[in-house]
Amino acid sequence: MLLIIQRSCRCVPTIRRLHVSALEVAERPGPEETVTASFAAFIHGLQPEQLTQKVLQRSKRMALDSIGVGIVGSTTYVFQLVLQHCQSHSMDFDDTWHPATHPSGAVLPALLAISDMLPRNSKPSGMDLLIAFNVGIEIQGRLLRFSNEAQNIPKSRFHPPTVVGPMGSAAACARLLSLDRIQCSHALAIAASLAGAPMANAATQSKPLHIGNASRQGLEAAFLASRGLQASSLMLDSVPGVSGFSAFYEDYAPQPLPSPEEVEPSFLLEEQDMGFKRFPAHLGMHWVADAAASIHKQLVGSHNGNFNPAFIQDILLRIPPSKYINRPFPESEHEARHSFQFNACTALLDGEVTVQSFHPVSLRRPELHTLLSRVRVEHPNDNSANFDLMYAEVLVTLVNGDVLKGRCNTFYGHWRNPLTDNSLQRKFRSNAGAVLSSDKVEGLIEIVDRLEQLEDCSPLLAQLQ
Protein backbone atom coordinates (compact mmCIF):
# COMPACT_ATOMS: atom_id res chain seq x y z
CA MET A 1 0.00 0.00 0.00
CA LEU A 2 1.33 3.41 -0.97
CA LEU A 3 0.47 6.44 1.11
CA ILE A 4 0.62 9.69 -0.84
CA ILE A 5 0.91 12.91 1.15
CA GLN A 6 0.34 16.19 -0.60
CA ARG A 7 1.77 19.41 0.73
CA SER A 8 0.79 22.93 -0.16
CA CYS A 9 3.56 25.31 -1.21
CA ARG A 10 1.46 28.47 -0.84
CA CYS A 11 3.45 29.59 2.21
CA VAL A 12 6.72 29.69 0.25
CA PRO A 13 7.38 32.98 -1.59
CA THR A 14 7.57 32.61 -5.35
CA ILE A 15 10.90 34.39 -5.57
CA ARG A 16 12.43 31.95 -3.09
CA ARG A 17 11.21 28.98 -5.10
CA LEU A 18 12.74 30.40 -8.26
CA HIS A 19 16.04 31.08 -6.47
CA VAL A 20 16.29 27.51 -5.18
CA SER A 21 15.46 26.09 -8.59
CA ALA A 22 18.19 28.18 -10.20
CA LEU A 23 20.74 26.96 -7.69
CA GLU A 24 19.77 23.35 -8.25
CA VAL A 25 20.19 23.72 -12.01
CA ALA A 26 23.58 25.37 -11.58
CA GLU A 27 24.95 22.87 -9.06
CA ARG A 28 23.63 19.59 -10.35
CA PRO A 29 25.42 17.82 -13.19
CA GLY A 30 23.41 16.80 -16.23
CA PRO A 31 21.45 13.58 -15.75
CA GLU A 32 23.77 11.63 -18.05
CA GLU A 33 26.86 12.71 -16.07
CA THR A 34 25.92 11.39 -12.64
CA VAL A 35 27.20 8.29 -10.88
CA THR A 36 23.62 7.05 -10.64
CA ALA A 37 23.16 7.43 -14.39
CA SER A 38 26.39 5.52 -15.07
CA PHE A 39 25.11 2.59 -13.02
CA ALA A 40 21.85 2.68 -14.96
CA ALA A 41 23.77 2.69 -18.24
CA PHE A 42 25.76 -0.35 -17.12
CA ILE A 43 22.61 -2.24 -16.16
CA HIS A 44 20.91 -1.42 -19.45
CA GLY A 45 23.86 -1.67 -21.81
CA LEU A 46 25.79 -4.81 -20.84
CA GLN A 47 26.00 -7.28 -23.73
CA PRO A 48 26.27 -11.12 -23.60
CA GLU A 49 29.65 -11.18 -25.35
CA GLN A 50 31.09 -8.94 -22.62
CA LEU A 51 30.81 -11.70 -20.02
CA THR A 52 34.13 -13.55 -20.08
CA GLN A 53 34.34 -17.32 -19.70
CA LYS A 54 35.83 -16.88 -16.24
CA VAL A 55 32.93 -14.68 -15.14
CA LEU A 56 30.40 -17.08 -16.65
CA GLN A 57 31.95 -20.10 -14.95
CA ARG A 58 32.28 -18.39 -11.56
CA SER A 59 28.73 -17.05 -11.67
CA LYS A 60 27.34 -20.48 -12.59
CA ARG A 61 29.13 -21.96 -9.56
CA MET A 62 27.50 -19.24 -7.45
CA ALA A 63 24.09 -20.01 -8.93
CA LEU A 64 24.41 -23.74 -8.24
CA ASP A 65 25.54 -23.16 -4.67
CA SER A 66 22.80 -20.61 -4.01
CA ILE A 67 20.09 -22.92 -5.34
CA GLY A 68 21.32 -25.71 -3.07
CA VAL A 69 21.44 -23.45 -0.02
CA GLY A 70 17.94 -22.16 -0.77
CA ILE A 71 16.61 -25.71 -1.07
CA VAL A 72 18.09 -26.92 2.21
CA GLY A 73 17.00 -23.66 3.84
CA SER A 74 13.40 -24.63 3.13
CA THR A 75 13.72 -27.43 5.70
CA THR A 76 14.47 -25.17 8.65
CA TYR A 77 12.28 -23.93 11.50
CA VAL A 78 12.74 -20.29 10.53
CA PHE A 79 11.54 -21.04 7.01
CA GLN A 80 8.38 -22.64 8.37
CA LEU A 81 7.72 -19.57 10.54
CA VAL A 82 7.85 -17.19 7.59
CA LEU A 83 6.60 -19.48 4.83
CA GLN A 84 3.50 -17.40 4.17
CA HIS A 85 5.50 -14.15 4.28
CA CYS A 86 8.64 -14.81 2.26
CA GLN A 87 10.91 -17.70 1.39
CA SER A 88 14.36 -16.91 2.75
CA HIS A 89 17.60 -18.77 3.32
CA SER A 90 18.04 -19.61 7.00
CA MET A 91 21.19 -21.73 7.11
CA ASP A 92 23.94 -19.05 6.95
CA PHE A 93 25.39 -21.26 4.24
CA ASP A 94 25.44 -18.95 1.20
CA ASP A 95 28.42 -17.49 -0.62
CA THR A 96 30.38 -14.52 0.75
CA TRP A 97 32.49 -11.84 -0.91
CA HIS A 98 34.86 -9.10 0.19
CA PRO A 99 33.92 -6.51 1.33
CA ALA A 100 31.53 -8.72 3.23
CA THR A 101 28.11 -9.51 1.80
CA HIS A 102 26.15 -12.51 0.51
CA PRO A 103 25.66 -11.51 -3.14
CA SER A 104 23.86 -14.48 -4.72
CA GLY A 105 21.08 -14.89 -2.18
CA ALA A 106 19.88 -11.33 -2.73
CA VAL A 107 19.70 -11.69 -6.51
CA LEU A 108 19.00 -15.22 -7.73
CA PRO A 109 15.64 -15.81 -5.97
CA ALA A 110 14.20 -12.62 -7.46
CA LEU A 111 15.36 -13.57 -10.96
CA LEU A 112 13.87 -17.05 -10.62
CA ALA A 113 10.61 -15.54 -9.38
CA ILE A 114 10.37 -13.23 -12.40
CA SER A 115 11.28 -16.06 -14.78
CA ASP A 116 8.60 -18.27 -13.27
CA MET A 117 6.03 -15.46 -13.47
CA LEU A 118 6.56 -14.67 -17.15
CA PRO A 119 4.37 -16.43 -19.75
CA ARG A 120 5.69 -19.62 -21.29
CA ASN A 121 6.43 -17.91 -24.62
CA SER A 122 8.33 -15.07 -22.88
CA LYS A 123 10.72 -16.94 -20.62
CA PRO A 124 14.23 -15.46 -20.50
CA SER A 125 17.06 -17.47 -21.98
CA GLY A 126 19.77 -18.93 -19.78
CA MET A 127 22.13 -16.21 -20.98
CA ASP A 128 19.56 -13.53 -20.14
CA LEU A 129 19.45 -14.96 -16.62
CA LEU A 130 23.25 -15.00 -16.32
CA ILE A 131 23.61 -11.42 -17.57
CA ALA A 132 21.04 -10.16 -15.06
CA PHE A 133 22.66 -12.23 -12.30
CA ASN A 134 26.09 -10.79 -13.03
CA VAL A 135 24.68 -7.26 -13.18
CA GLY A 136 23.30 -7.76 -9.68
CA ILE A 137 26.61 -9.15 -8.40
CA GLU A 138 28.67 -6.35 -9.95
CA ILE A 139 26.45 -3.56 -8.60
CA GLN A 140 26.75 -4.91 -5.06
CA GLY A 141 30.52 -5.23 -5.30
CA ARG A 142 31.01 -1.74 -6.70
CA LEU A 143 28.89 -0.11 -4.01
CA LEU A 144 30.81 -1.88 -1.24
CA ARG A 145 34.16 -0.87 -2.68
CA PHE A 146 33.21 2.80 -2.53
CA SER A 147 33.66 2.67 1.26
CA ASN A 148 36.63 1.69 3.40
CA GLU A 149 34.19 1.45 6.30
CA ALA A 150 32.38 -1.38 4.49
CA GLN A 151 35.57 -3.45 4.51
CA ASN A 152 35.84 -3.32 8.31
CA ILE A 153 33.23 -5.63 9.81
CA PRO A 154 33.02 -4.17 13.34
CA LYS A 155 32.43 -0.67 11.97
CA SER A 156 29.37 -1.71 9.97
CA ARG A 157 26.17 -0.35 11.49
CA PHE A 158 23.99 -2.16 8.99
CA HIS A 159 24.08 -5.80 7.90
CA PRO A 160 25.72 -5.50 4.45
CA PRO A 161 23.28 -7.76 2.53
CA THR A 162 20.45 -5.44 3.59
CA VAL A 163 22.32 -2.43 2.22
CA VAL A 164 23.69 -3.56 -1.14
CA GLY A 165 21.44 -6.62 -1.51
CA PRO A 166 18.28 -4.70 -2.46
CA MET A 167 20.36 -2.61 -4.87
CA GLY A 168 21.78 -5.72 -6.55
CA SER A 169 18.36 -7.32 -6.74
CA ALA A 170 16.83 -4.17 -8.21
CA ALA A 171 19.58 -3.91 -10.80
CA ALA A 172 19.29 -7.56 -11.81
CA CYS A 173 15.49 -7.44 -12.00
CA ALA A 174 15.57 -4.19 -13.98
CA ARG A 175 17.86 -5.86 -16.48
CA LEU A 176 15.75 -9.02 -16.78
CA LEU A 177 12.62 -6.89 -17.23
CA SER A 178 14.37 -4.86 -19.97
CA LEU A 179 13.79 -1.51 -18.29
CA ASP A 180 15.20 1.57 -19.99
CA ARG A 181 18.03 3.60 -18.49
CA ILE A 182 15.81 6.06 -16.64
CA GLN A 183 13.75 3.23 -15.18
CA CYS A 184 16.94 1.43 -14.11
CA SER A 185 18.05 4.58 -12.30
CA HIS A 186 14.71 4.84 -10.54
CA ALA A 187 14.79 1.15 -9.59
CA LEU A 188 18.12 1.65 -7.81
CA ALA A 189 16.87 4.76 -6.02
CA ILE A 190 13.62 3.10 -4.95
CA ALA A 191 15.58 0.11 -3.61
CA ALA A 192 17.74 2.42 -1.51
CA SER A 193 14.61 3.55 0.32
CA LEU A 194 13.89 -0.08 1.21
CA ALA A 195 17.42 -0.95 2.32
CA GLY A 196 19.14 -1.28 5.69
CA ALA A 197 18.81 -3.51 8.77
CA PRO A 198 20.89 -3.12 11.96
CA MET A 199 23.67 -5.55 12.85
CA ALA A 200 22.02 -6.24 16.22
CA ASN A 201 19.83 -8.89 14.58
CA ALA A 202 22.82 -10.94 13.48
CA ALA A 203 22.92 -14.29 15.29
CA THR A 204 19.15 -14.27 15.79
CA GLN A 205 16.29 -15.98 14.00
CA SER A 206 15.60 -12.69 12.22
CA LYS A 207 18.92 -12.63 10.36
CA PRO A 208 17.69 -14.98 7.60
CA LEU A 209 14.92 -12.49 6.84
CA HIS A 210 17.59 -10.00 5.76
CA ILE A 211 18.66 -11.79 2.60
CA GLY A 212 15.13 -12.86 1.69
CA ASN A 213 13.82 -9.33 2.10
CA ALA A 214 16.73 -7.89 0.12
CA SER A 215 15.75 -10.06 -2.83
CA ARG A 216 12.06 -9.22 -2.52
CA GLN A 217 12.60 -5.50 -2.04
CA GLY A 218 14.81 -5.23 -5.11
CA LEU A 219 12.20 -7.04 -7.17
CA GLU A 220 9.49 -4.69 -5.90
CA ALA A 221 11.67 -1.66 -6.67
CA ALA A 222 12.14 -2.81 -10.27
CA PHE A 223 8.42 -3.45 -10.73
CA LEU A 224 7.54 -0.06 -9.28
CA ALA A 225 10.04 1.62 -11.60
CA SER A 226 8.56 -0.25 -14.55
CA ARG A 227 5.14 1.20 -13.62
CA GLY A 228 6.52 4.74 -13.61
CA LEU A 229 7.33 5.38 -9.95
CA GLN A 230 10.11 7.95 -9.74
CA ALA A 231 12.89 8.51 -7.21
CA SER A 232 16.04 10.59 -6.83
CA SER A 233 18.29 10.75 -9.88
CA LEU A 234 21.25 11.34 -7.54
CA MET A 235 20.77 8.46 -5.12
CA LEU A 236 24.26 6.99 -5.69
CA ASP A 237 26.02 10.34 -5.96
CA SER A 238 27.67 12.22 -3.14
CA VAL A 239 25.65 15.42 -2.66
CA PRO A 240 26.72 17.73 0.20
CA GLY A 241 23.98 18.10 2.75
CA VAL A 242 21.80 15.40 1.22
CA SER A 243 22.05 11.76 2.25
CA GLY A 244 21.50 9.30 -0.52
CA PHE A 245 23.26 5.94 -0.45
CA SER A 246 25.92 7.72 1.62
CA ALA A 247 23.58 7.39 4.62
CA PHE A 248 24.81 3.81 5.04
CA TYR A 249 28.55 4.53 4.92
CA GLU A 250 30.01 7.78 6.22
CA ASP A 251 33.11 7.54 4.02
CA TYR A 252 31.16 6.67 0.86
CA ALA A 253 33.05 8.00 -2.18
CA PRO A 254 31.38 6.81 -5.40
CA GLN A 255 32.93 6.59 -8.84
CA PRO A 256 30.98 6.31 -12.10
CA LEU A 257 30.93 3.03 -13.98
CA PRO A 258 32.29 3.21 -17.53
CA SER A 259 29.58 2.66 -20.11
CA PRO A 260 29.74 -0.88 -21.55
CA GLU A 261 28.80 0.68 -24.89
CA GLU A 262 32.03 2.70 -24.87
CA VAL A 263 34.52 0.71 -22.78
CA GLU A 264 34.91 -3.05 -22.39
CA PRO A 265 33.65 -3.68 -18.84
CA SER A 266 35.92 -5.04 -16.12
CA PHE A 267 34.12 -7.35 -13.71
CA LEU A 268 35.00 -7.64 -10.04
CA LEU A 269 34.16 -11.34 -10.24
CA GLU A 270 36.95 -11.68 -12.81
CA GLU A 271 39.44 -10.19 -10.34
CA GLN A 272 38.24 -11.96 -7.19
CA ASP A 273 36.49 -15.31 -6.89
CA MET A 274 33.67 -15.98 -4.45
CA GLY A 275 34.01 -17.53 -0.99
CA PHE A 276 31.96 -20.73 -0.53
CA LYS A 277 31.23 -22.10 2.93
CA ARG A 278 31.81 -25.76 3.79
CA PHE A 279 29.51 -25.55 6.81
CA PRO A 280 26.61 -23.20 7.70
CA ALA A 281 28.14 -20.51 9.88
CA HIS A 282 29.50 -16.97 9.72
CA LEU A 283 32.47 -16.87 7.35
CA GLY A 284 34.92 -15.95 10.13
CA MET A 285 34.22 -19.31 11.77
CA HIS A 286 35.90 -21.15 8.92
CA TRP A 287 39.34 -19.86 9.89
CA VAL A 288 39.08 -20.90 13.52
CA ALA A 289 37.50 -24.27 12.63
CA ASP A 290 40.32 -25.15 10.24
CA ALA A 291 42.95 -24.16 12.81
CA ALA A 292 41.25 -26.21 15.54
CA ALA A 293 40.72 -29.20 13.23
CA SER A 294 44.46 -29.38 12.64
CA ILE A 295 44.96 -29.71 16.41
CA HIS A 296 42.29 -32.43 16.60
CA LYS A 297 44.29 -34.37 14.04
CA GLN A 298 47.43 -34.02 16.18
CA LEU A 299 45.58 -35.11 19.33
CA VAL A 300 44.05 -38.17 17.71
CA GLY A 301 47.36 -39.15 16.18
CA SER A 302 49.34 -38.78 19.41
CA HIS A 303 46.82 -40.76 21.48
CA ASN A 304 46.23 -43.65 19.07
CA GLY A 305 42.71 -42.49 18.33
CA ASN A 306 41.73 -42.34 22.01
CA PHE A 307 41.50 -38.59 22.37
CA ASN A 308 39.64 -37.41 25.48
CA PRO A 309 38.60 -33.77 26.06
CA ALA A 310 39.87 -34.17 29.63
CA PHE A 311 43.39 -34.04 28.18
CA ILE A 312 42.85 -30.31 27.44
CA GLN A 313 43.63 -27.78 30.17
CA ASP A 314 43.46 -24.47 28.32
CA ILE A 315 42.38 -23.17 24.89
CA LEU A 316 43.59 -19.82 23.55
CA LEU A 317 42.01 -18.29 20.46
CA ARG A 318 43.93 -15.51 18.75
CA ILE A 319 41.27 -13.93 16.57
CA PRO A 320 40.17 -10.54 15.20
CA PRO A 321 38.16 -8.22 17.47
CA SER A 322 34.49 -8.40 16.54
CA LYS A 323 31.89 -8.40 19.28
CA TYR A 324 28.98 -9.99 17.50
CA ILE A 325 30.96 -13.16 16.66
CA ASN A 326 32.73 -13.35 20.04
CA ARG A 327 30.17 -15.45 21.95
CA PRO A 328 31.66 -17.58 24.79
CA PHE A 329 28.54 -19.64 25.56
CA PRO A 330 26.03 -19.59 22.68
CA GLU A 331 22.50 -20.55 23.67
CA SER A 332 20.96 -21.22 20.25
CA GLU A 333 21.96 -22.56 16.88
CA HIS A 334 21.97 -19.01 15.47
CA GLU A 335 24.32 -17.79 18.19
CA ALA A 336 26.48 -20.88 17.66
CA ARG A 337 26.84 -20.00 13.98
CA HIS A 338 28.34 -16.68 15.17
CA SER A 339 30.63 -17.97 17.93
CA PHE A 340 34.39 -18.31 17.51
CA GLN A 341 34.42 -20.33 20.73
CA PHE A 342 31.73 -22.82 19.69
CA ASN A 343 33.21 -23.53 16.27
CA ALA A 344 36.74 -23.91 17.63
CA CYS A 345 35.63 -26.33 20.36
CA THR A 346 33.43 -28.30 17.96
CA ALA A 347 36.35 -28.74 15.57
CA LEU A 348 38.60 -29.77 18.48
CA LEU A 349 36.09 -32.45 19.48
CA ASP A 350 35.03 -33.73 16.07
CA GLY A 351 37.76 -32.69 13.67
CA GLU A 352 35.22 -30.75 11.60
CA VAL A 353 32.13 -28.58 11.72
CA THR A 354 29.04 -29.77 9.83
CA VAL A 355 25.33 -29.05 9.47
CA GLN A 356 24.70 -31.48 12.33
CA SER A 357 27.05 -29.54 14.61
CA PHE A 358 24.33 -26.92 15.11
CA HIS A 359 21.54 -29.31 16.00
CA PRO A 360 20.22 -28.99 19.58
CA VAL A 361 21.68 -32.34 20.68
CA SER A 362 25.16 -31.27 19.55
CA LEU A 363 24.83 -27.89 21.25
CA ARG A 364 24.03 -29.51 24.60
CA ARG A 365 26.96 -31.94 24.73
CA PRO A 366 28.61 -31.85 28.19
CA GLU A 367 32.09 -32.33 26.74
CA LEU A 368 31.55 -29.34 24.45
CA HIS A 369 30.58 -27.11 27.38
CA THR A 370 33.61 -28.34 29.31
CA LEU A 371 35.85 -27.13 26.50
CA LEU A 372 33.97 -23.84 26.17
CA SER A 373 34.70 -23.12 29.84
CA ARG A 374 38.44 -23.40 29.11
CA VAL A 375 38.58 -20.91 26.24
CA ARG A 376 40.43 -17.62 26.42
CA VAL A 377 40.52 -15.00 23.66
CA GLU A 378 43.25 -12.61 22.49
CA HIS A 379 43.07 -10.02 19.71
CA PRO A 380 46.54 -9.53 18.16
CA ASN A 381 47.16 -6.07 16.74
CA ASP A 382 48.01 -7.50 13.33
CA ASN A 383 44.78 -9.51 13.09
CA SER A 384 42.15 -7.17 11.63
CA ALA A 385 38.47 -8.05 11.22
CA ASN A 386 38.76 -8.17 7.45
CA PHE A 387 37.94 -11.27 5.42
CA ASP A 388 40.86 -10.61 3.10
CA LEU A 389 43.47 -10.10 5.84
CA MET A 390 42.42 -11.99 8.98
CA TYR A 391 43.83 -15.23 10.37
CA ALA A 392 43.04 -17.52 13.29
CA GLU A 393 45.38 -19.22 15.74
CA VAL A 394 44.36 -21.87 18.25
CA LEU A 395 46.76 -22.82 21.06
CA VAL A 396 45.80 -25.82 23.19
CA THR A 397 47.63 -26.54 26.44
CA LEU A 398 47.33 -30.16 27.61
CA VAL A 399 47.30 -31.29 31.22
CA ASN A 400 50.83 -32.68 30.73
CA GLY A 401 52.09 -29.21 29.77
CA ASP A 402 52.39 -29.79 26.03
CA VAL A 403 51.17 -26.94 23.82
CA LEU A 404 49.68 -27.65 20.39
CA LYS A 405 49.22 -24.89 17.84
CA GLY A 406 47.03 -24.58 14.79
CA ARG A 407 46.89 -21.62 12.44
CA CYS A 408 44.77 -20.83 9.40
CA ASN A 409 45.55 -17.93 7.07
CA THR A 410 43.23 -19.01 4.24
CA PHE A 411 40.58 -21.68 4.73
CA TYR A 412 39.49 -24.07 1.99
CA GLY A 413 36.61 -22.34 0.22
CA HIS A 414 38.05 -18.81 0.52
CA TRP A 415 38.39 -16.90 -2.76
CA ARG A 416 42.16 -17.40 -2.54
CA ASN A 417 41.65 -21.15 -2.10
CA PRO A 418 38.35 -21.89 -3.85
CA LEU A 419 36.40 -25.12 -3.63
CA THR A 420 36.94 -27.44 -6.56
CA ASP A 421 33.94 -28.19 -8.77
CA ASN A 422 33.77 -31.64 -7.17
CA SER A 423 33.65 -30.14 -3.65
CA LEU A 424 31.02 -27.59 -4.68
CA GLN A 425 28.87 -30.27 -6.29
CA ARG A 426 29.26 -32.48 -3.22
CA LYS A 427 27.93 -29.62 -1.08
CA PHE A 428 25.08 -29.08 -3.53
CA ARG A 429 24.12 -32.76 -3.50
CA SER A 430 24.06 -32.75 0.28
CA ASN A 431 21.91 -29.60 0.43
CA ALA A 432 19.52 -30.21 -2.45
CA GLY A 433 19.26 -33.92 -1.70
CA ALA A 434 17.59 -33.09 1.61
CA VAL A 435 14.49 -32.07 -0.38
CA LEU A 436 14.74 -33.20 -4.02
CA SER A 437 15.09 -36.61 -5.62
CA SER A 438 18.52 -37.64 -6.81
CA ASP A 439 17.34 -37.33 -10.44
CA LYS A 440 16.36 -33.71 -9.92
CA VAL A 441 19.59 -32.97 -8.05
CA GLU A 442 21.71 -34.34 -10.89
CA GLY A 443 19.46 -32.61 -13.40
CA LEU A 444 20.06 -29.24 -11.74
CA ILE A 445 23.83 -29.74 -11.78
CA GLU A 446 23.72 -30.51 -15.50
CA ILE A 447 21.36 -27.64 -16.37
CA VAL A 448 23.29 -24.98 -14.44
CA ASP A 449 26.53 -26.17 -16.05
CA ARG A 450 25.13 -25.36 -19.53
CA LEU A 451 22.89 -22.49 -18.49
CA GLU A 452 24.17 -20.04 -21.10
CA GLN A 453 23.14 -22.51 -23.84
CA LEU A 454 19.45 -22.70 -22.85
CA GLU A 455 17.06 -20.99 -25.24
CA ASP A 456 14.78 -20.38 -22.29
CA CYS A 457 15.07 -21.18 -18.60
CA SER A 458 12.03 -23.47 -18.39
CA PRO A 459 14.15 -26.61 -17.82
CA LEU A 460 15.79 -24.97 -14.79
CA LEU A 461 12.43 -23.89 -13.37
CA ALA A 462 10.95 -27.36 -13.95
CA GLN A 463 13.68 -28.99 -11.84
CA LEU A 464 12.86 -26.61 -8.96
CA GLN A 465 9.15 -27.46 -8.83
Side-chain angles (χ1 to χ4, degrees):
M1 181 176 68
L2 296 178
L3 178 64
I4 302 176
I5 301 175
Q6 295 182 331
R7 288 184 176 180
S8 172
C9 294
R10 294 176 183 173
C11 59
V12 182
T14 301
I15 191 168
R16 178 176 172 80
R17 291 202 305 269
L18 292 173
H19 178 62
V20 171
S21 298
L23 282 177
E24 288 178 347
V25 171
E27 293 177 358
R28 289 188 179 184
E32 71 283 353
E33 300 173 353
T34 66
V35 172
T36 309
S38 75
F39 273 63
F42 175 84
I43 295 167
H44 180 267
L46 187 65
Q47 298 300 309
E49 61 272 15
Q50 293 176 315
L51 294 180
T52 67
Q53 284 302 309
K54 181 184 285 187
V55 168
L56 281 173
Q57 183 60 25
R58 287 180 171 178
S59 59
K60 287 190 295 184
R61 281 163 52 90
M62 293 166 65
L64 183 69
D65 185 67
S66 187
I67 290 170
V69 171
I71 290 172
V72 75
S74 70
T75 67
T76 63
Y77 175 66
V78 171
F79 180 87
Q80 298 304 320
L81 287 178
V82 299
L83 184 59
Q84 295 184 1
H85 173 63
C86 66
Q87 297 185 358
S88 61
H89 302 167
S90 56
M91 289 291 286
D92 218 321
F93 214 173
D94 42 352
D95 56 28
T96 307
W97 220 7
H98 174 73
T101 195
H102 305 296
S104 297
V107 174
L108 190 60
L111 295 179
L112 293 175
I114 291 176
S115 301
D116 190 52
M117 175 199 71
L118 292 173
R120 183 176 295 276
N121 61 352
S122 301
K123 300 292 186 191
S125 69
M127 180 58 84
D128 291 335
L129 201 66
L130 281 170
I131 292 174
F133 185 50
N134 276 282
V135 162
I137 303 305
E138 186 71 15
I139 294 303
Q140 291 178 80
R142 293 287 180 176
L143 290 173
L144 284 169
R145 282 162 178 77
F146 293 153
S147 165
N148 289 323
E149 187 178 292
Q151 303 187 37
N152 193 327
I153 300 168
K155 289 186 178 180
S156 297
R157 295 167 293 155
F158 302 94
H159 190 208
T162 73
V163 176
V164 297
M167 311 296 287
S169 174
C173 293
R175 173 61 194 229
L176 198 63
L177 293 169
S178 300
L179 303 192
D180 62 33
R181 289 189 185 187
I182 294 176
Q183 291 172 320
C184 289
S185 175
H186 288 316
L188 289 173
I190 295 167
S193 281
L194 306 175
M199 285 293 290
N201 265 336
T204 73
Q205 289 184 340
S206 291
K207 182 185 178 185
L209 297 177
H210 292 179
I211 197 75
N213 281 333
S215 186
R216 176 178 62 84
Q217 289 159 348
L219 184 151
E220 290 179 355
F223 274 130
L224 288 170
S226 75
R227 293 180 180 275
L229 187 69
Q230 298 180 358
S232 171
S233 61
L234 296 171
M235 182 59 69
L236 302 185
D237 292 77
S238 182
V239 182
V242 179
S243 291
F245 191 78
S246 60
F248 297 110
Y249 299 110
E250 293 180 354
D251 64 347
Y252 176 67
Q255 296 292 324
L257 283 179
S259 169
E261 297 174 356
E262 300 174 0
V263 179
E264 198 67 21
S266 173
F267 292 91
L268 296 175
L269 191 57
E270 178 101 25
E271 302 168 13
Q272 178 182 290
D273 205 347
M274 198 60 52
F276 295 101
K277 298 178 179 179
R278 303 195 317 277
F279 56 89
H282 183 278
L283 194 72
M285 305 302 107
H286 291 66
W287 276 272
V288 77
D290 275 14
S294 68
I295 297 179
H296 172 90
K297 187 175 182 179
Q298 298 175 54
L299 287 167
V300 170
S302 61
H303 292 85
N304 299 317
N306 296 317
F307 162 62
N308 188 321
F311 298 160
I312 295 178
Q313 177 177 295
D314 180 75
I315 303 167
L316 174 62
L317 307 183
R318 306 184 77 239
I319 52 178
S322 189
K323 288 183 179 180
Y324 84 104
I325 48 179
N326 184 358
R327 298 175 182 269
F329 296 98
E331 297 180 357
S332 69
E333 65 169 293
H334 294 279
E335 289 188 359
R337 298 184 201 280
H338 296 74
S339 168
F340 277 125
Q341 293 88 341
F342 173 87
N343 287 275
C345 291
T346 296
L348 282 173
L349 280 175
D350 305 327
E352 61 180 353
V353 180
T354 67
V355 172
Q356 290 72 32
S357 300
F358 302 95
H359 289 180
V361 173
S362 299
L363 265 66
R364 292 193 296 264
R365 290 183 291 174
E367 60 272 30
L368 175 65
H369 284 263
T370 297
L371 291 186
L372 286 172
S373 68
R374 297 173 183 171
V375 174
R376 296 181 296 116
V377 169
E378 287 183 359
H379 303 303
N381 291 332
D382 66 341
N383 199 359
S384 60
N386 180 306
F387 287 155
D388 212 35
L389 303 173
M390 66 177 283
Y391 64 87
E393 285 185 347
V394 180
L395 286 79
V396 172
T397 302
L398 305 182
V399 292
N400 65 4
D402 290 346
V403 178
L404 305 178
K405 179 179 177 180
R407 177 175 171 125
C408 178
N409 294 322
T410 305
F411 66 87
Y412 180 45
H414 190 277
W415 43 87
R416 289 194 299 267
N417 186 20
L419 296 182
T420 64
D421 287 343
N422 285 338
S423 293
L424 193 70
Q425 290 175 12
R426 189 159 53 246
K427 175 185 174 182
F428 177 80
R429 290 186 176 100
S430 175
N431 285 339
V435 176
L436 302 180
S437 68
S438 59
D439 287 345
K440 284 200 169 185
V441 170
E442 297 306 316
L444 279 168
I445 292 174
E446 190 271 333
I447 287 170
V448 173
D449 184 57
R450 60 180 182 88
L451 190 56
E452 72 272 30
Q453 301 170 23
L454 297 183
E455 292 185 3
D456 74 64
C457 61
S458 296
L460 173 63
L461 298 172
Q463 295 294 326
L464 292 171
Q465 298 300 319

